[in-house]
Amino acid sequence: MVGILLAAGRGTRMKSETPKVLFDVNDEPLCMAPFRALASCCDKIVVVVGYRGADVKLALSEAAKREMGAARFESQVLFVTQDPPRGTGDAVRRAIEGAGHAVSKSEEIIVLNGDLPLIRGTTIERFAKTCRAERASSACLSFRTSNPKGLGRILRDETGVFTGIREEADASADEKRIREVNGGVYYFSAELLTREISSLQSGNAQGEFYLTDLLGAKPGRRSEAMLVRAPNDLMGVNTTWELAQARRIAQSRLQRALCEEKGVDFRDPASAFVSARAQFHGSCTIGPGVSILGDSVIEAGVVIEGQVLLEKAIVRQNAKILWGCVIRESTVGVRSSVGPLAHLRPGTELEEGVRIGNFVETKKTRFGKNAKAAHLTYLGDAEIGEEANIGCGTITCNYDGFQKHRTKVGARAFVGSDTQLIAPVVIGDDAYIASGTAVTQDIPSGALALARANLVIKPEYAKRLLDKKKKPSGSGK
Ligand code: UD1
Ligand code: MG
């Protein structure tokens, strides 16, 4: 089978500059779901792009290559351009012209609208099987809806035979009352499609070439509209509200698969969000309000409490992420604990057993095994040795207004509270920095560093000062 994916339209009803097919569903472009469905059952896929075609091609290629591998993608997928978009029939004509032999040598063609974020390969396979069994030369999937507005109505004669599809803009008042609509999933024999595609006319209310004009039975030609009873798969997206409904279902399906296949435990599935690109390696706990975006990896035994954002993060076995953390492009090591309310910025690497506490911000910083920064600290461009302890209020002063500089803290070093590490600076292994020290030079291993202004104490002075302030004004007269 050859698959044709229609993704050239702008999606005017979305009221956005972004092409409709590039809106995000489960952290992927919307058109990735119909693409995946075609890839599961077709040998060749022709994608028709038009409005911002280069962007659509780039985004879909990236997502598809990640899934099917570059070699398979290059050999199976072809992009053709339809410019200007003159209707779904015109888009299919461009696909056939662009694909040449691939289409004419095939026997069956599946055409899919690119705006079906819930369509699945199994639905298409079942559809194609039924078409074959019934020897239909063309067919579409249909569903019943109480709100058919904007969709093509399925026309049937008094015996129930499918006679055609009427687009809303061309429908009579009677036809508009029909509740069975076209779902945008089509099956054609290649022979019929290649023969008839150029006979389409655009003399309709929208002045477009409608692919739907090729459907409907005629003498000597079987065409079916196959009614789907659970029509979620056919949910098309034309407005951002429809997109919002589809996203919920797509996310719920993804979470369900993770529960059933990996034992992921979602405490509140409705408020959690996981990317289709994220990988889960085993049973773990995902609390309410947790978003896991991009190519994140969550290993077994991980607990993520709640209200956490992870983006391209790797969380190793049995690590714990407490409430309210933001972690981007970073690694949390085995049995490490982060948060509550910590911010790990890109390039943070925590080895095993590291503890990062509340109000700690890190960037491009590596922590050795069992190192700790338990409270209120900024560590940037730094390397923290094994078992080192970073006290509350420690700051790496890594930026001099022009350049970033590095800080190195040795193994088992103790950095007292309120220390300023003026980079570039190296603290040796087992060194001890007293609280309140501004470290402006390297500290040798095993040394104590202490830099404090002298403390001045004036007995009774505060009391006198207070008494003076309390005297009522004018009392001296
Ligand atoms: C289409 C069907 C309608 C059906 C509905 C289901 C036609 C004429 N109508 O209407 O019967 O009920 O889908 O969702 O087919 N596209 C192109 N090139 C174009 C126009 C559209 O590639 O010139 C692509 C779009 O990017 C989109 C898909 O085709 O992915 C459907 O286009 P859309 O404008 O959403 O069609 P509908 O009006 O929804
Ligand atoms: Mg549509």
Side-chain angles (χ1 to χ4, degrees):
M1 281 200 300
V2 166
I4 297 177
L5 182 63
L6 305 184
R10 171 174 177 169
T12 319
R13 289 164 280 181
M14 302 294 277
K15 306 200 189 308
S16 166
E17 296 286 305
T18 304
K20 174 166 64 176
V21 293
L22 289 194
F23 272 82
D24 182 290
V25 175
N26 282 352
D27 206 16
E28 292 181 326
L30 193 162
C31 57
M32 188 55 198
F35 177 89
R36 183 180 286 124
L38 287 178
S40 75
C41 56
C42 295
D43 316 302
K44 183 109 198 155
I45 300 164
V46 188
V47 184
V48 187
V49 297
Y51 175 72
R52 287 183 49 189
D55 296 338
V56 175
K57 183 176 175 184
L58 184 71
L60 182 60
S61 305
E62 255 178 38
K65 278 183 196 163
R66 200 166 20 215
E67 190 149 304
M68 65 203 291
R72 194 179 147 211
F73 176 84
E74 300 297 347
S75 70
Q76 292 189 351
V77 184
L78 180 76
F79 285 86
V80 303
T81 303
Q82 180 205 20
D83 188 23
R86 290 154 67 206
T88 46
D90 180 59
V92 169
R93 186 180 57 79
R94 284 290 306 121
I96 292 171
E97 285 169 5
H101 281 328
V103 169
S104 49
K105 277 195 299 188
S106 73
E107 290 181 0
E108 300 170 310
I109 298 175
I110 299 288
V111 180
L112 270 194
N113 281 357
D115 59 359
L116 300 172
L118 300 174
I119 188 75
R120 284 177 284 201
T122 46
T123 304
I124 296 178
E125 266 172 64
R126 235 179 295 131
F127 172 48
K129 209 171 148 191
T130 317
C131 292
R132 259 168 243 144
E134 304 208 353
R135 300 188 179 283
S137 56
S138 68
C140 68
L141 287 177
S142 69
F143 62 99
R144 278 188 208 286
T145 172
S146 56
N147 180 19
K149 199 163 177 285
L151 299 171
R153 308 299 202 277
I154 299 295
L155 307 178
R156 294 184 185 276
D157 69 13
E158 45 308 330
T159 61
V161 170
F162 170 48
T163 56
I165 298 175
R166 186 80 73 229
E167 292 306 311
E168 163 114 0
D170 305 288
S172 67
D174 272 353
E175 286 167 339
K176 280 188 184 152
R177 277 191 281 274
I178 297 172
R179 294 285 179 266
E180 187 184 359
V181 293
N182 167 27
V185 177
Y186 311 91
Y187 169 96
F188 293 99
S189 78
E191 191 264 321
L192 175 120
L193 189 64
T194 47
R195 180 159 40 84
E196 298 205 354
I197 193 71
S198 42
S199 68
L200 285 175
Q201 302 293 319
S202 60
N204 50 52
Q206 301 183 82
E208 286 187 355
F209 294 92
Y210 293 159
L211 179 64
T212 45
D213 284 349
L214 292 184
L215 286 112
K218 287 186 186 156
R221 192 178 89 180
R222 282 194 80 121
S223 184
E224 302 282 352
M226 295 179 187
L227 188 67
V228 172
R229 302 219 177 267
N232 268 351
D233 271 39
L234 299 184
M235 195 184 223
V237 165
N238 291 309
T239 62
T240 50
W241 180 244
E242 286 171 354
L243 175 65
Q245 315 303 310
R247 276 184 180 142
R248 269 175 186 269
I249 299 171
Q251 179 59 207
S252 170
R253 282 183 181 176
L254 180 59
Q255 291 182 8
R256 181 175 177 177
L258 290 171
C259 292
E260 292 173 356
E261 288 162 23
K262 311 278 178 165
V264 175
D265 174 15
F266 289 98
R267 293 289 163 90
D268 179 25
S271 68
F273 178 86
V274 292
S275 167
R277 294 152 60 178
Q279 294 174 47
F280 289 79
H281 289 181
S283 147
C284 60
T285 302
I286 310 291
V290 172
S291 289
I292 301 177
L293 308 180
D295 307 307
S296 293
V297 177
I298 313 296
E299 293 189 350
V302 166
V303 175
I304 304 177
E305 278 193 345
Q307 303 303 340
V308 165
L309 175 77
L310 299 182
E311 189 177 4
K312 292 192 196 166
I314 299 172
V315 186
R316 301 257 183 245
Q317 280 177 42
N318 300 316
K320 229 176 159 175
I321 315 289
L322 308 183
W323 280 89
C325 294
V326 175
I327 302 180
R328 291 194 156 98
E329 293 170 45
S330 295
T331 301
V332 177
V334 174
R335 279 190 302 282
S336 286
S337 156
V338 178
L341 297 163
H343 185 187
L344 307 191
R345 291 166 51 205
T348 300
E349 306 279 326
L350 312 185
E351 286 179 14
E352 191 178 336
V354 170
R355 185 163 156 239
I356 301 291
N358 49 193
F359 309 114
V360 173
E361 175 185 346
T362 63
K363 185 215 74 173
K364 283 194 188 153
T365 291
R366 183 177 189 86
F367 281 74
K369 204 170 162 185
N370 298 331
K372 276 196 285 232
H375 333 263
L376 191 72
T377 281
Y378 170 64
L379 298 166
D381 303 297
E383 190 167 335
I384 312 296
E386 287 186 15
E387 317 265 340
N389 182 27
I390 307 295
C392 175
T394 298
I395 296 170
T396 51
C397 307
N398 58 331
Y399 184 50
D400 57 13
F402 304 97
Q403 273 179 301
K404 301 282 171 66
H405 300 282
R406 296 195 57 81
T407 299
K408 189 165 187 271
V409 175
R412 298 167 303 280
F414 182 93
V415 176
S417 298
D418 193 23
T419 294
Q420 297 150 53
L421 299 162
I422 320 266
V425 72
V426 177
I427 313 287
D429 292 349
D430 303 293
Y432 192 107
I433 316 294
S435 293
T437 299
V439 182
T440 52
Q441 317 167 22
D442 292 355
I443 310 297
S445 292
L448 167 75
L450 170 75
R452 287 181 189 157
N454 285 338
L455 178 67
V456 178
I457 299 176
K458 299 194 173 182
E460 299 293 318
Y461 193 90
K463 195 165 167 292
R464 263 191 280 145
L465 208 67
L466 256 152
D467 288 347
K468 208 163 136 192
K469 288 247 159 137
K470 272 190 208 152
K471 258 189 203 155
S473 63
S475 62
K477 279 183 193 166

